[in-house]
Amino acid sequence: MKNYIRKFILIASFGVWILAIVLYAILFNWIDKSINDILLQMLSPTLIIFIPGLVQWLVSKSKAEYMDSSEMNVPSFSVVKHQKLQRKEGLNIEDLARVLPKQFTISNIDSENNKIKLYDKNIWTWATGYIIELRQNEIVIFSFPFSSHSIGAEGGREKGLAKLSACLS
């Protein structure tokens, strides 16, 4: 997950930056300008687009490393919600891993503590992680968006929880 997320953020911000440079070149007719004027006009798209994308790329590192790590405790960097479901008779962690929908990527399975850590493959909801814990009589799904203030984070979490709940019920 770490490389996928970080490469996407970096490539997307770089692509938008290049498009902004081309747009500025067309709008401000850079053909007749000196190199100093061109460099000065490249400064604003760089500050507005590329620098924030680079910062997001660096910030995503800790969250992506958490998803790739063997750490199975619920993270403290986000707003965590949990949902409880009735556990089916005879369900074990391996069976649970097999029935999960294909849209989720399992990043870690802890057979000793009956936990699975996973995230959504969908590029628009990759920022939602889940930890599924099998308890004696119930299944608890912990969900956490990496950025609780991002647009659509709550909606993405709810859709993912609905798909997990439907598959585990």
Side-chain angles (χ1 to χ4, degrees):
M1 176 183 187
K2 176 174 33 179
N3 291 330
Y4 173 69
I5 291 170
R6 296 185 78 211
K7 282 181 185 177
F8 174 77
I9 291 171
L10 188 62
I11 290 169
S13 64
F14 184 71
V16 171
W17 179 63
I18 293 295
L19 288 174
I21 297 281
V22 170
L23 183 63
Y24 267 65
I26 293 168
L27 290 176
F28 297 113
N29 194 15
W30 285 3
I31 296 170
D32 298 333
K33 303 278 180 158
S34 70
I35 191 71
N36 288 338
D37 290 339
I38 292 172
L39 291 175
L40 187 60
Q41 287 183 343
M42 285 177 62
L43 184 64
S44 62
T46 302
L47 292 175
I48 294 169
I49 297 168
F50 190 68
I51 300 297
L54 186 62
V55 168
Q56 178 63 33
W57 180 70
L58 294 170
V59 168
S60 70
K61 180 181 179 184
S62 63
K63 296 168 183 178
E65 283 178 349
Y66 167 77
M67 287 309 293
D68 287 337
S69 74
S70 61
E71 176 67 35
M72 293 300 276
N73 293 327
V74 178
S76 60
F77 55 73
S78 190
V79 177
V80 178
K81 289 188 178 181
H82 68 281
Q83 181 175 350
K84 295 181 181 181
L85 303 170
Q86 195 67 22
R87 183 175 174 175
K88 293 179 183 177
E89 194 68 32
L91 182 67
N92 61 26
I93 201 78
E94 289 80 20
D95 294 337
L96 182 59
R98 274 193 298 272
V99 299
L100 289 173
K102 300 286 186 230
Q103 83 176 63
F104 294 99
T105 299
I106 297 174
S107 63
N108 200 355
I109 297 176
D110 183 1
S111 297
E112 287 181 17
N113 296 318
N114 286 329
K115 292 183 179 182
I116 298 176
K117 183 168 44 172
L118 59 143
Y119 60 93
D120 201 324
K121 283 183 192 177
N122 185 346
I123 190 63
W124 302 112
T125 57
W126 64 264
T128 304
Y130 304 91
I131 295 178
I132 300 174
E133 182 178 345
L134 289 178
R135 294 186 179 165
Q136 191 68 22
N137 296 323
E138 62 188 4
I139 300 171
V140 181
I141 305 171
F142 297 97
S143 62
F144 44 91
F146 294 150
S147 175
S148 57
H149 305 294
S150 66
I151 297 171
E154 194 60 35
R157 178 200 327 229
E158 295 302 322
K159 287 178 185 176
L161 278 172
K163 288 178 184 174
L164 286 173
S165 299
C167 130
L168 299 175
S169 299

